[in-house]
Amino acid sequence: MADDMQEFFQDKVQWVADGQAPVSAMPPRPPRSRREMRRRRERRKHRKQIMTIIIALAVVLATSCVVILVGGLRHGAPRIVATKEVAPDYPGPGGQPLEFTVESGQGADQVGANLVKAGVVKSTAAFLQAISSAQSESRLLPGTFDLRLRMKASDVVAILTDRSKAGGFLQVRAGERVRDVVARAAQLSGVPQSEFDALIQAKGEDILPQEAQGNFEGWLQPGEYDVRKAGSAKAILGNLVSKRIEHLDQLGVPGGQERQTILNTASITEAEVNKSEYYSKVARVIENRLAKGMPLGMDSTVAYSNNVSALKLTDAMLKNANDPYNTRVHQGLPPGPIGSPGDEAIQAVMHPESGDWLYFVTVNMDTGETRFSDNPDQFNRDVKEYKAWESQHNEQGK
């Protein structure tokens, strides 16, 4: 009983500072019995448990509110009230046919606005939503497409991302020869081949820069061009040449005769390389051989003059001393470029990798593995390895 009473008074005692009166002049009434004391302790314990639960619930509720508020600030609105607005769209399939052109370099916003203006789609927003919903590898292609008035936006996107449905655009690839580019340009544009031939025979007068020496080879910029609207061979070739000059300026290629020499060397590098990692090494081999007065010995130059692939060269072609492009016989660079080199080849010629290599051989045409050396004996061993691969390849092809 004494212990219980002591606990009771310890719970009820009120401490005051010096000079202050106690809150109550009367001491608390002692409990009548031990049972009453137990009931009081149980009530206090119960109240403490309830308060603990209430505080915990309050913390949880406050935390939830903060999470919802932060989520709303990050995403513009809380998830529970977020809705996706459906952009105005035609049901399709469409009405009157029309031709629509996507220019090279146009963005989705601009194409969408042009589609709305042409009456093909109902809103730019619907077009952009359709692009967003399309496959990740889909992209808008330049070209002239057959569409209809009042089409469903998703149907339009399916057409504008299908290369087989893009017409009127000429694609110039790195390493291509002028004769091949001109043939496709004439076919796509409807401009007679004879009009292109006349410009080539006139040595590109009023089109080519002086350092090109009247030769279009190497001066056609790789890329995609709308040739159906050009109207003439001069407009088409003039555009390709002006784009080339503009791009060479952007790459920092020196002008004048040095520019022509870089294009010439880069065109050979482009033709001889089968992997990006080899560009700067092949460029170094060419530079080293020129510095030593050695013939370049590049099959690609002979293949160009005979208008065949390197795999179809004959011994007679490789020994023909009357061919000015035969770098097996003649020292130095050929009379001009042998194709339109891309950026990697041009950069490699301006910044070749350091090395003493004088030879390179692609020993496996399947993997593209190429060996570089400065030793004639190693070169001969590499050639034998290639011949073995070629023999095995030919046997399997029978």
Side-chain angles (χ1 to χ4, degrees):
M1 181 67 178
D3 293 337
D4 292 340
M5 291 299 292
Q6 184 178 4
E7 179 184 350
F8 174 81
F9 283 110
Q10 286 177 347
D11 289 343
K12 294 299 183 179
V13 70
Q14 299 184 36
W15 298 93
V16 296
D18 292 342
Q20 290 184 344
V23 177
S24 175
M26 295 294 294
R29 188 180 62 180
R32 295 180 180 179
S33 65
R34 185 176 297 179
R35 180 180 300 175
E36 183 179 350
M37 289 186 64
R38 284 198 296 268
R39 284 200 301 265
R40 290 183 181 182
R41 283 199 301 270
E42 291 295 331
R43 284 197 297 267
R44 287 197 300 270
K45 183 178 179 182
H46 184 62
R47 283 196 299 269
K48 288 181 180 179
Q49 290 174 342
I50 292 175
M51 287 302 297
T52 300
I53 294 173
I54 291 174
I55 292 172
L57 289 175
V59 171
V60 172
L61 180 60
T63 303
S64 300
C65 291
V66 170
V67 171
I68 294 174
L69 177 60
V70 172
L73 292 175
R74 284 183 178 176
H75 302 97
R79 183 181 299 274
I80 56 175
V81 298
T83 59
K84 182 179 181 181
E85 182 180 352
V86 178
D89 197 4
Y90 292 125
Q96 181 181 347
L98 58 83
E99 287 186 346
F100 181 83
T101 299
V102 178
E103 303 288 349
S104 182
Q106 283 185 328
D109 288 337
Q110 187 176 359
V111 173
N114 291 342
L115 286 167
V116 173
K117 185 176 180 180
V120 177
V121 299
K122 194 169 186 177
S123 68
T124 302
F127 179 68
L128 296 177
Q129 284 183 4
I131 292 177
S132 178
S133 300
Q135 297 293 331
S136 58
E137 65 269 14
S138 298
R139 70 177 186 90
L140 298 177
L141 300 170
T144 300
F145 300 83
D146 293 324
L147 301 178
R148 292 179 176 273
L149 291 173
R150 297 173 173 267
M151 293 181 66
K152 189 175 179 64
S154 58
D155 294 339
V156 175
V157 170
I159 293 174
L160 299 187
T161 55
D162 187 345
R163 185 169 292 280
S164 67
K165 291 180 169 55
F169 263 68
L170 170 68
Q171 184 179 18
V172 181
R173 293 178 287 271
E176 278 198 291
R177 303 167 182 173
V178 166
R179 59 173 71 95
D180 297 327
V181 174
V182 164
R184 287 204 313 279
Q187 181 182 11
L188 290 169
S189 65
V191 175
Q193 175 80 38
S194 59
E195 193 173 323
F196 290 94
D197 294 340
L199 286 174
I200 293 173
Q201 291 170 6
K203 298 187 181 300
E205 186 177 358
D206 298 328
I207 298 177
L208 288 169
Q210 183 177 357
E211 58 264 30
Q213 301 171 350
N215 185 2
F216 280 97
E217 202 70 79
W219 286 91
L220 305 182
Q221 175 62 28
E224 295 176 315
Y225 303 87
D226 184 3
V227 297
R228 186 152 64 174
K229 294 181 178 180
S232 69
K234 186 172 184 178
I236 293 172
L237 291 181
N239 186 32
L240 268 63
V241 172
S242 64
K243 292 293 184 183
R244 176 55 122 186
I245 294 172
E246 178 184 346
H247 193 68
L248 292 176
D249 290 341
Q250 292 173 350
L251 292 177
V253 181
Q257 186 56 44
E258 188 177 358
R259 176 169 288 191
Q260 175 72 353
T261 301
I262 289 173
L263 287 177
N264 197 347
T265 308
S267 70
I268 300 173
T269 303
E270 186 74 64
E272 294 286 345
V273 167
N274 52 42
K275 283 186 176 182
S276 294
E277 62 193 89
Y278 297 139
Y279 275 107
S280 59
K281 287 186 176 181
V282 170
R284 174 58 68 184
V285 170
I286 295 174
E287 184 171 301
N288 288 344
R289 293 180 75 89
L290 290 173
K292 289 181 175 294
M294 299 172 63
L296 293 182
M298 302 292 175
D299 291 349
S300 57
T301 61
V302 184
Y304 170 78
S305 60
N306 287 275
N307 195 26
V308 297
S309 70
L311 295 176
K312 294 184 178 181
L313 287 171
T314 64
D315 287 339
M317 294 176 183
L318 294 172
K319 294 177 181 178
N320 182 9
N322 294 323
D323 179 3
Y325 283 85
N326 190 341
T327 54
R328 284 198 173 195
V329 177
H330 304 291
Q331 291 184 355
L333 291 169
I338 61 173
S340 296
D343 289 0
E344 285 187 293
I346 294 173
Q347 295 282 14
V349 171
M350 292 196 297
H351 309 286
E353 186 171 333
S354 297
D356 297 328
W357 310 294
L358 294 171
Y359 311 95
F360 65 91
V361 179
T362 300
V363 296
N364 188 315
M365 291 295 181
D366 289 332
T367 64
E369 180 186 357
T370 301
R371 305 267 180 82
F372 293 81
S373 65
D374 59 359
N375 186 297
D377 293 334
Q378 181 60 51
F379 169 71
N380 290 330
R381 287 192 291 269
D382 293 337
V383 170
K384 287 182 180 179
E385 186 172 340
Y386 165 71
K387 292 294 184 181
W389 176 91
E390 185 180 39
S391 177
Q392 182 181 7
H393 183 77
N394 290 336
E395 288 294 328
Q396 292 175 351
K398 290 182 180 179

